[in-house]
Every structure is written in structure tokens, then in C-alpha cells.
Amino acid sequence: MADSSIHFTVSFQEPQAHYAEIQIDLQQFDKDYIDLKMPVWTPGSYLIREYSRHVERLSAEANGKAVRCEKIAKNTWRVYSHKENVKVQYSVYGFEVSVRTNFIDNDHAFLSSAATFMFPDGFLNHPSTLSITLPENWSSVSTGLPTVPGKEHTYYASDFDILFDSPLEIGNQDVWHFEAAGVQHEFAMVGGGTYDKKQLSEDIRKIVEIETDIWGENPNSRYVFITHNYQNGGGGLEHLNSTVLGASRNGYQQAATYKNFLSLVAHEYFHLWNVKRLRPKALGPFDYEAENYTTGLWIMEGFTAYYDNLIIRRCNFHSPKEYLNLLALDFNIVYNRPGFQIQSAGLASFDTWIKQYRPDENSSNTSISYYNKGAMLAAALDIRIITETDGAKRLDDVLRAAYQQFYKTEGHGFEESAFQTLAEQTVGVDLSDIFEAAHTNQELDYNDFFEKVGYQLIDVNANNQERSLGLKTAVIEGRIVVKVVERGSAAWDAGISVDDELIAINGTRLDVLGKELDFVLEQGAIDDIVDVLVSRDGLIRTVPTPLRRTTKKVYTIQEFEQASVRAKELGRIWLSI
């Protein structure tokens, strides 16, 4: 089928109702029927999202006459082409605010390509073209796809992997350009905001150039930032030569919020190499119809989560203290979830399809985030390499070597064992204990690492005698309702359950401000038994519950007073001071 072609046309007849109309022109496909499939997930966001649920009114015709088509699976439509050129039409509904789903209204359209376009079964490697028909009051299209010369708002994808990795922003976005690391960058701002274009371009230029220096090259000739500004927004999703970001429109003039945005930029741009090119074998070529399992997201997302704030530190946007506080936050997040004793970073990676994006009331007791735990492990690796090589090498060298070996030379994804072997060969350091820790529930002694660079991880809450029941509540229509019960806590052992309404304690009715409960916790002694009156499914019961010392961790990373002069020097190398 050398002469076959696939062309998509996108139009918007009812944007106010949140619809896009898609037309597929299939020519020279010498088949009795074509199965058109919609991806069920999008790379970078590891959850089956069932995008086909938003497809409506699919029909097909050839030579102006209707062609029979039927839905044969949740995401598959069979079109009986009778070896003719076929035109397929369908509508897609989009009204979900996120970086991975479609959103369409009167003002603009954001299209996640995996949630919008179908592929002919067996033809993922086939090229396609795409044209956008803009409503009268819209003027711009922002996408990483290259344009087709001489055709307005028409783009080319060499295969469906490229198409599905190229989101589109369509409307009246504020667009400007700047160059960094020899690459042309486009910024597309949606939703207004208090941003300063010049300052933002200068700051992001620093990020781009530092990251390019880490990896040794910038593989793109053009890169697109699509940013959606909301009253309160966040999140990002990486793509091969673009990213989609969420931000708070009035946060650009607030120092902390702006630095958080720059960290998000650093994170998603870092993925240009780490995930989009250097990757585990499972993450490409993709199966768009099922889960793609890997235990390696602690490397891909965890390392990136370690580097995002570290790069902001290297740009001197964060002071050393600010950076250390942010790194300590990873430890606080992990160690304040009892799930760290149950789920390893590797298992969290593998189970991302069923846990990471589907939290429930028990998630903190059973799981961790491979982002935070991966960042902790990356810090251990970086510090180990710095100290064992006396500052000559660090984790940067491992990433650069892995990029060259697995992506540039071998052209495929890696096995974790091969990544570890290459890392150890690159820096000449035994890293086995850290890689093993990624797949067990045995914790590293992180002060074995921090103290060698002049710092110490300290739980400043370790001696706190504050009492706690070990639960979290929410006030719902004037009722105090339990939302989380911490594993191993007083409430857990006593049998208080999520969705119990707390009514009284020791015969005193509780108030929604929590003052009565606070009084009992302050006045009671550890191991005292208090009577908690609850309503469970409308039935009243008393639950005798012990008071226990709080298990909340409050970690900080502070200077280690006994550190040697050389340790302090290595710490300056680590923090780029």
C-alpha cells in the first residue's frame, strides 16, 4: 500500500457545546474493511482512560454513498471499505481540565491527540497529515508537529507515535518565541496571566541551557511550551518536542509560586531526554490498547523529580536552603505514608496503572509515589558518586552516558540491570545497594550519604509527645466525618472506620472546629483509653480508643556540625555553590 494516505481534518461546529468534528480520509487501502482504533491511554500518563467513551456519531461514506460500519470493541470501529477510498466522520466531546484530556469551549480547544485521533489497525507506522479548520474568531494553532509547506494550518506526522505525542492548542493563545541552546522555542499562553514574557524567556533559557549541558546535546530543532493558566492550576505532561503545563494565572508575580512554575518547566523539559528518548524497554514502541508495564518509573520520573528543583538551584533561582527544604519534602511525603513499608519504588512503578492515578481512602496505607521515593534514591546515587569520586563525577555523568549508549548508539530502551551496570562502569562506583533498595521495603540510612557532603537529615518532631488518634477528618454538612485512618494508629487498632461520623469523645460532643478533640488530646496521657462515640451507617456505637504519641515526621536537612572540611567542599559541589 505504498500509495495509501491518511488525512485528518479537524473542525469545530459546536465548540460552545465542547465538541470537535474529526474527518479521516483513507485512500488507496486495498482492504475489504479497515478497523479504526482509538488509544485507551496517552504516553506519560499511566492510566487506562478509555478515550473512546467520548466518541459519537461515527459514520463513513465512499463516493458520496454511506458505507457500512460497526463498533466491534470498546475502542474499535470496523469500516467496510470494499477497497474504495473512504471518508470517516465522528465527533469527540472534550470538557475535562487536565494536561492529558481534551478541553473545548467558545474560547479555545486543547486536543490531546491520543484522545482525538484513531489509527487504522496494523498501520501505526503509517504517515498522516492533519489540517485544522479554525472558527472565524480563532487565529492560531500551536503544536510540535511540522507544517506542510504551502498549506495553512496543515501538519505532518511521520507515524502515529509522533501524532499521538503532539498535542494541539487551537484558539487565540499569546505566542512568542525565543532561542535557547541553539533551539527555537515557542511559548503559547492560554487564559491570560501576570507573566512577564521577557523575564520568563530569560529564566527558561537558563533552564534549557543547563539541562542541555547535562545531557550533552539538545535533540530538537524546535520546541513548544503550551501553558494553560487557571485561577488555580498545575501539572504537566511531557512530549517529544513539546510539553503542556498548568499554572495559576496570577502566580507569576509571587516568588514562591513562580519558582514552582519554573521547577515544573525544568521537570517537563528534562523529560525531553529522560523518558522520551532514554527509557525502559516497556515505554516504546507503545501498545496503545493496554497497559505498558515497567518497574523503571522510579528512574524516569523519580530522577526527573530530583533534578527539577536541583536545576532551579543550579540556575540560582533557589538558595541552597530553599533547595534542601524542597528535597526534605520528598522524605516527609514518603515517610508520612505508612505505605512506604509495603510498596517499593519499583512496585509503585509497576502498579501505577491501578494505584498512582486512582487514590482512595486507604492509599496512604498501601502505597508511595515513585516520584518522591525515586527522588530520594536519586539523591543517594548523586551523593554516593560525588563522594566516591571525590567530586570528579556525579549522576549527570551516568545520565549522559546512558543517553549515548541506549538511545544514540543502540536505539532502544534499557533493562534496569543494564542501566545499573552502565552507571557503575561510568563512574567506577558500586551502586548496588541503592538499586536494590528501589525494589525492597528496606530503607537506606540516608545520613550515611548526607553526612559525607556536610549535611544531616533530622526529624525535628522525633521527640514530640503530642497525642494523636491517627485519623484525618472532613466537615461535611456540619458533620465530622473520618476520611483516612492511618495504618497502625490508635484509630486503626480500635476499629474506627472511614466514613464514620465522630459525634462525641468521653461524653462531650465534638465541635466542627476541633476544639474539644484538641482538648482531649492535650490533656490525656499516652495509653489513656477514650470513648469515641460514632455513627456508622446510621447506627450509634462507642469505640474505646487509646491515645498514642503522634507518628508524624517533620524532616529537615541541616548542616552537619561534625562534617570534615572536605565533606563541606563536596557539599558545595553537590549544591553548585
Side-chain angles (χ1 to χ4, degrees), residues 1 4-5 24-34 60-68 79-88:
M1 299 186 183
S4 59
S5 67
I24 316 175
D25 288 290
L26 300 162
Q27 297 187 1
Q28 303 297 317
F29 279 81
D30 189 19
K31 297 171 67 71
D32 291 330
Y33 63 83
I34 299 171
E61 64 177 53
N63 301 320
K65 296 182 179 180
V67 172
R68 184 165 70 95
V79 178
Y80 294 89
S81 61
H82 306 294
K83 301 182 181 180
E84 298 176 281
N85 296 336
V86 177
K87 180 187 298 182
V88 179

Side-chain angles (χ1 to χ4, degrees), residues 208-224:
V208 168
E209 291 175 350
I210 284 176
E211 293 192 1
T212 300
D213 185 60
I214 291 171
W215 292 93
E217 69 169 15
N218 196 308
N220 287 322
S221 59
R222 178 173 172 269
Y223 191 91
V224 179

Side-chain angles (χ1 to χ4, degrees), residues 41-49 100 237-238 271 275-276 283 286 291-292 294 297 300-301 349 351-357 370-371:
W41 70 289
T42 190
S45 182
Y46 308 103
L47 177 69
I48 300 298
R49 297 187 181 275
R100 62 192 69 86
L237 186 62
E238 69 276 5
H271 277 317
V275 167
K276 300 315 300 184
L283 297 185
F286 295 113
E291 296 86 348
N292 291 229
T294 176
L297 292 178
M300 313 321 297
E301 290 292 356
S349 302
D351 277 349
T352 183
W353 297 94
I354 57 174
K355 288 181 179 282
Q356 175 71 16
Y357 296 95
Y370 46 78
Y371 286 83

Side-chain angles (χ1 to χ4, degrees), residues 35-217:
D35 286 344
L36 294 174
K37 292 179 172 289
M38 175 75 80
V40 301
W41 70 289
T42 190
S45 182
Y46 308 103
L47 177 69
I48 300 298
R49 297 187 181 275
E50 309 295 16
Y51 290 127
S52 59
R53 74 188 192 277
H54 292 310
V55 173
E56 301 176 14
R57 295 170 284 179
L58 187 141
S59 63
E61 64 177 53
N63 301 320
K65 296 182 179 180
V67 172
R68 184 165 70 95
C69 52
E70 60 180 332
K71 191 172 186 179
I72 62 171
K74 66 177 182 178
N75 68 320
T76 307
W77 288 259
R78 178 163 292 173
V79 178
Y80 294 89
S81 61
H82 306 294
K83 301 182 181 180
E84 298 176 281
N85 296 336
V86 177
K87 180 187 298 182
V88 179
Q89 296 176 316
Y90 60 93
S91 298
V92 172
Y93 178 80
F95 196 56
E96 181 178 347
V97 174
S98 84
V99 295
R100 62 192 69 86
T101 51
N102 291 339
F103 182 91
I104 306 158
D105 68 7
N106 266 334
D107 297 324
H108 77 112
F110 170 69
L111 299 183
S112 169
S113 293
T116 306
F117 303 111
M118 300 180 183
F119 64 94
D121 189 22
F123 291 90
L124 278 173
N125 293 326
H126 200 290
S128 62
T129 52
L130 164 67
S131 61
I132 312 291
T133 303
L134 276 66
E136 287 185 5
N137 58 334
W138 295 3
S139 60
S140 299
V141 178
S142 296
T143 180
L145 289 171
T147 58
V148 175
K151 295 185 177 181
E152 188 177 27
H153 305 314
T154 302
Y155 307 89
Y156 174 78
S158 57
D159 56 42
F160 278 89
D161 286 326
I162 296 297
L163 178 61
F164 293 147
D165 208 16
S166 302
L168 300 110
E169 175 60 39
I170 308 164
N172 297 303
Q173 57 272 25
D174 185 10
V175 177
W176 73 93
H177 301 86
F178 62 93
E179 187 176 299
V183 176
Q184 185 71 20
H185 290 76
E186 175 181 319
F187 226 94
M189 279 286 197
V190 183
T194 58
Y195 53 87
D196 180 322
K197 295 181 187 180
K198 181 179 179 182
Q199 186 66 54
L200 195 55
S201 298
E202 290 177 356
D203 291 343
I204 293 177
R205 182 179 292 111
K206 293 179 184 178
I207 293 170
V208 168
E209 291 175 350
I210 284 176
E211 293 192 1
T212 300
D213 185 60
I214 291 171
W215 292 93
E217 69 169 15

Side-chain angles (χ1 to χ4, degrees), residues 476-498:
I476 301 175
E477 296 180 348
R479 299 179 303 122
I480 304 169
V481 179
V482 175
K483 304 309 293 182
V484 174
V485 178
E486 182 180 303
R487 180 184 295 275
S489 68
W492 175 284
D493 290 343
I496 294 177
S497 296
V498 168

